[in-house]
Amino acid sequence: MSKSTVSTLCGQLKKDFELWQNRDSSEHKILYLFCDGIYLRLRPEDERAAAVLCAYGIREDGKKVLVHLAVGDKESTVCWKSFFQDLKQRGLVEPLPVILDGNSGLRKAVRDCFPGSWVHRCQVHRMQNILCKLPEKARPGLKKLIQKAFTAQSHKVGLQRAQAVVAMYEQEYPEAMKCLASDLEEVLTTLRFPESHRKRIRTTNLLERLFGEGRRRSKVVPRFMSERSGLSLLFAVLVDASAEWHRVKIAPALVQQLQALRPHPSAKALPRLAA
């Protein structure tokens, strides 16, 4: 393609991204919201990578959609709060759970901006954190025991199983069991939701795979000419990759069941989970 054609396409891409970034969010009735960040050098003067904050959601009709993309200096509470406030101002309804990794800034921002949402900590990240604190010989057996807690038939049973593992091994593997016990209720939040959805919401890995595609495409660009150029390219890559996402089956009756998990408008926020 000629330089003029490339320039025209890039200009159109920036316009498309700006329209998408400022669109009305109320059209998406998001049930499940997934959040994470990717670090890229977006500006010519950048000495270090900046955080690009990203969120996707599963709507009431089961469709997975890329919800928002914005730059933040880092994954701090302030940056994530600005990210969520932008979404709320454009009409995003408070999601049921917000699924996230262990980032403390993100977790606090969710608590402040979505006080009626459950917080679910990614089980894959937590399992990795636990296993790295165990000797190699102990990992297979303990992984099976912990997995039984993570995939229990109910939140109560999952909590009992995990607490039993902690009690059994805390003397032998104190650091690993401390990690398992930390924020345990939030790690098991997925067990409060329909069994058919648990596998879909237990981890942020779909975003991780999406970021992998973004890194693959962006690493061939030695240096972006501007922040907008970098974000526009990442937007194009993520939208293209997310077009292949499969829907989640959500029957109307199940939507009603899920809505019952929302607090009544006159009620205060959902009970706080363990901090």
Side-chain angles (χ1 to χ4, degrees), residues 148-250:
K148 285 183 179 180
F150 285 1
T151 58
Q153 63 267 38
S154 70
H155 185 270
K156 181 179 179 180
V157 172
L159 197 59
Q160 290 172 343
R161 287 179 179 177
Q163 289 170 341
V165 173
V166 171
M168 188 178 298
Y169 291 99
E170 61 183 344
Q171 295 299 320
E172 192 171 0
Y173 308 118
E175 288 301 310
M177 293 304 101
K178 181 181 177 181
C179 185
L180 174 57
S182 176
D183 306 318
L184 184 56
E185 292 233 10
E186 290 183 358
V187 178
L188 299 175
T189 296
T190 183
L191 300 179
R192 298 182 184 276
F193 290 87
E195 190 172 354
S196 59
H197 291 181
R198 292 175 187 175
K199 188 176 180 180
R200 306 276 189 170
I201 66 174
R202 62 184 295 268
T203 175
T204 58
N205 273 7
L206 187 58
L207 269 177
E208 297 284 350
R209 292 195 291 271
L210 201 62
F211 290 158
E213 183 65 15
R215 291 188 185 94
R216 186 179 72 82
R217 300 283 187 90
S218 61
K219 72 179 181 181
V220 300
V221 182
R223 186 180 294 272
F224 292 112
M225 298 304 295
S226 67
E227 177 185 295
R228 181 59 56 175
S229 296
L231 282 174
S232 297
L233 175 61
L234 184 60
F235 160 71
V237 172
L238 299 190
V239 166
D240 184 51
S242 64
E244 302 298 321
W245 287 344
H246 298 294
R247 284 177 178 266
V248 176
K249 291 182 179 180
I250 304 181

Side-chain angles (χ1 to χ4, degrees), residues 1-274:
M1 289 187 289
S2 66
K3 290 183 178 180
S4 62
T5 300
V6 172
S7 179
T8 300
L9 290 172
C10 289
Q12 184 59 51
L13 179 58
K14 290 177 184 178
K15 291 179 182 178
D16 290 344
F17 175 56
E18 186 173 343
L19 287 171
W20 179 85
Q21 200 176 35
N22 294 294
R23 74 201 186 287
D24 181 3
S25 297
S26 62
E27 63 182 85
H28 297 304
K29 295 180 179 179
I30 300 297
L31 290 175
Y32 303 110
L33 187 69
F34 301 75
C35 300
D36 203 352
I38 179 175
Y39 284 82
L40 298 172
R41 291 189 177 182
L42 294 173
R43 314 173 190 93
E45 69 274 14
D46 278 353
E47 293 184 1
R48 60 183 180 84
V52 179
L53 313 181
C54 182
Y56 88 90
I58 300 177
R59 305 189 316 197
E60 285 187 3
D61 63 1
K63 182 176 175 58
K64 297 175 185 174
V65 293
L66 195 63
V67 176
H68 194 31
L69 191 67
V71 69
D73 182 52
K74 53 186 178 179
E75 288 191 81
S76 65
T77 300
V78 171
C79 290
W80 275 113
K81 283 181 73 172
S82 175
F83 182 92
F84 292 138
Q85 286 164 356
D86 184 11
L87 282 172
K88 291 173 70 175
Q89 287 170 2
R90 291 190 284 112
L92 181 74
V93 175
E94 193 169 41
L96 285 174
V98 180
I99 298 92
L100 44 80
D101 60 13
N103 183 280
S104 58
L106 170 55
R107 183 168 175 258
K108 188 176 187 307
V110 170
R111 288 297 195 198
D112 291 343
C113 296
F114 301 125
S117 296
W118 298 101
V119 172
H120 175 58
R121 301 285 287 272
C122 174
Q123 291 184 349
V124 171
H125 280 86
R126 177 51 56 90
M127 183 68 83
Q128 290 171 346
N129 292 339
I130 295 168
L131 294 181
C132 75
K133 300 177 186 299
L134 290 169
E136 190 171 349
K137 66 176 183 179
R139 291 174 188 171
L142 273 168
K143 183 178 181 180
K144 288 181 180 178
L145 290 176
I146 297 168
Q147 200 64 39
K148 285 183 179 180
F150 285 1
T151 58
Q153 63 267 38
S154 70
H155 185 270
K156 181 179 179 180
V157 172
L159 197 59
Q160 290 172 343
R161 287 179 179 177
Q163 289 170 341
V165 173
V166 171
M168 188 178 298
Y169 291 99
E170 61 183 344
Q171 295 299 320
E172 192 171 0
Y173 308 118
E175 288 301 310
M177 293 304 101
K178 181 181 177 181
C179 185
L180 174 57
S182 176
D183 306 318
L184 184 56
E185 292 233 10
E186 290 183 358
V187 178
L188 299 175
T189 296
T190 183
L191 300 179
R192 298 182 184 276
F193 290 87
E195 190 172 354
S196 59
H197 291 181
R198 292 175 187 175
K199 188 176 180 180
R200 306 276 189 170
I201 66 174
R202 62 184 295 268
T203 175
T204 58
N205 273 7
L206 187 58
L207 269 177
E208 297 284 350
R209 292 195 291 271
L210 201 62
F211 290 158
E213 183 65 15
R215 291 188 185 94
R216 186 179 72 82
R217 300 283 187 90
S218 61
K219 72 179 181 181
V220 300
V221 182
R223 186 180 294 272
F224 292 112
M225 298 304 295
S226 67
E227 177 185 295
R228 181 59 56 175
S229 296
L231 282 174
S232 297
L233 175 61
L234 184 60
F235 160 71
V237 172
L238 299 190
V239 166
D240 184 51
S242 64
E244 302 298 321
W245 287 344
H246 298 294
R247 284 177 178 266
V248 176
K249 291 182 179 180
I250 304 181
L254 195 55
V255 172
Q256 293 181 357
Q257 180 183 338
L258 286 166
Q259 295 300 348
L261 291 171
R262 292 188 186 277
H264 189 275
S266 63
K268 295 182 179 180
L270 284 170
R272 294 287 183 176
L273 302 184

